[in-house]
């Protein structure tokens, strides 16, 4: 179940006329409404959260023009949805928008971080569309986390596309999993590496 939730928002494919990667400029620390989750993202990136996902005419237009976005928006708009936030670079390349999203999922019973990390890695390993999985346990300002990087084959506009996925999984209080997912194209990894790293280092739970 958790793997399906993560995959439902692992990418946001947007039609756009701009090419190349936007100049990232300054960053902004964003607080997810209703949660004590804070994360930095470039000020130029567009933000969608669970409270405002369908409140903006611009977002509704994006959904009409880009059916691929509809699934993520629909998932976020459902009561109790685990998808709480995503932000994307409005400057696209190959009709793909680099993005970050946050999934918050309650866990039925209290577990240890070791159990959580093993389960999260196992969920990705079990996906036939995932490859080149690498996992590392890291300690960030937000606490201990499992860092996962892998390639994922998805279908965008009827075509198979390989994306590079970077995730950080946190266990809160032993009963809540919080996963941050950063997604871009493999050829853009080096350009976004510093940005993704800075964003991950800004994660806090206050």
């Amino acid at each position: 179940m958790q793997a399906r939730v993560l995959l439902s928002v692992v990418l946001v494919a947007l039609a756009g006329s701009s090419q190349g990667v936007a100049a990232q400029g300054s960053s902004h620390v964003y607080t997810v409404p209703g949660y004590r989750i804070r994360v930095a993202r470039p000020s130029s990136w567009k933000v969608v959260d669970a409270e405002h996902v369908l409140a903006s005419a611009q977002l509704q237009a994006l959904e009409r023009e880009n059916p691929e976005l509809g699934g993520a928006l629909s998932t976020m708009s459902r009561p109790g949805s685990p998808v709480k936030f995503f932000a994307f670079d409005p400057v696209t390349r190959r009709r793909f928008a680099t993005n970050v999203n946050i999934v918050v999922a309650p866990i039925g019973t209290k577990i240890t971080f070791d159990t959580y990390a093993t389960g999260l890695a196992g969920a990705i390993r079990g996906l036939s569309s995932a490859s080149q999985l690498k996992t590392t346990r890291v300690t960030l300002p937000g606490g201990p986390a499992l860092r996962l990087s892998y390639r994922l084959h998805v279908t965008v506009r009827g075509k198979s596309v390989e994306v590079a996925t970077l995730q950080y999984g946190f266990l809160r209080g032993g009963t809540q999993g919080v996963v941050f997912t950063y997604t871009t194209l493999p050829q853009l990894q080096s350009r976004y590496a510093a940005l993704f790293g800075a964003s991950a280092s800004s994660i806090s739970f206050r």
Side-chain angles (χ1 to χ4, degrees):
M1 175 63 181
Q2 187 177 45
R4 289 199 298 272
V5 170
L6 294 176
L7 283 174
S8 71
V9 290
V10 77
L11 67 99
V12 178
L14 302 171
S17 59
S18 300
Q19 296 295 315
V21 179
Q24 303 304 334
S26 61
S27 63
H28 173 75
V29 176
Y30 188 87
T31 301
V32 179
Y35 295 85
R36 295 186 300 170
I37 300 175
R38 290 163 57 87
V39 63
R41 50 86 183 173
S43 299
S44 62
W45 283 29
K46 304 299 182 183
V47 171
V48 183
D49 63 52
E51 288 188 0
H52 306 102
V53 64
L54 295 177
S56 164
Q58 181 184 16
L59 289 175
Q60 292 180 36
L62 280 173
E63 183 178 11
R64 287 194 302 270
E65 295 168 6
N66 307 276
E68 300 88 347
L69 184 58
L73 293 176
S74 176
T75 299
M76 290 183 69
S77 65
R78 294 177 193 140
S81 169
V83 185
K84 305 304 179 184
F85 163 95
F86 69 75
F88 60 91
D89 188 342
V91 176
T92 63
R93 185 174 185 179
R94 297 189 180 183
R95 303 176 78 82
F96 183 86
T98 293
N99 63 91
V100 56
N101 69 70
I102 301 174
V103 167
V104 180
I107 298 169
T109 58
K110 191 169 185 178
I111 61 174
T112 64
F113 180 76
D114 284 350
T115 299
Y116 174 72
T118 299
L120 190 58
I124 302 303
R125 254 186 220 101
L127 298 173
S128 60
S129 56
S131 63
Q132 302 180 41
L133 174 65
K134 297 179 181 178
T135 64
T136 309
R137 298 190 186 192
V138 298
T139 300
L140 298 173
L146 180 68
R147 182 185 188 275
L148 308 95
S149 63
Y150 55 94
R151 298 289 178 86
L152 190 68
H153 285 274
V154 295
T155 301
V156 178
R157 299 181 184 275
K159 296 182 179 180
S160 178
V161 176
E162 184 181 53
V163 296
T165 305
L166 175 65
Q167 292 178 320
Y168 292 89
F170 296 83
L171 179 64
R172 306 296 300 160
T175 60
Q176 184 185 73
V178 183
V179 179
F180 294 74
T181 302
Y182 300 86
T183 309
T184 190
L185 296 175
Q187 58 267 44
L188 298 181
Q189 277 184 288
S190 60
R191 300 195 191 190
Y192 282 101
L195 186 156
F196 288 172
S199 178
S201 295
S202 76
I203 294 170
S204 66
F205 302 90
R206 299 177 183 176

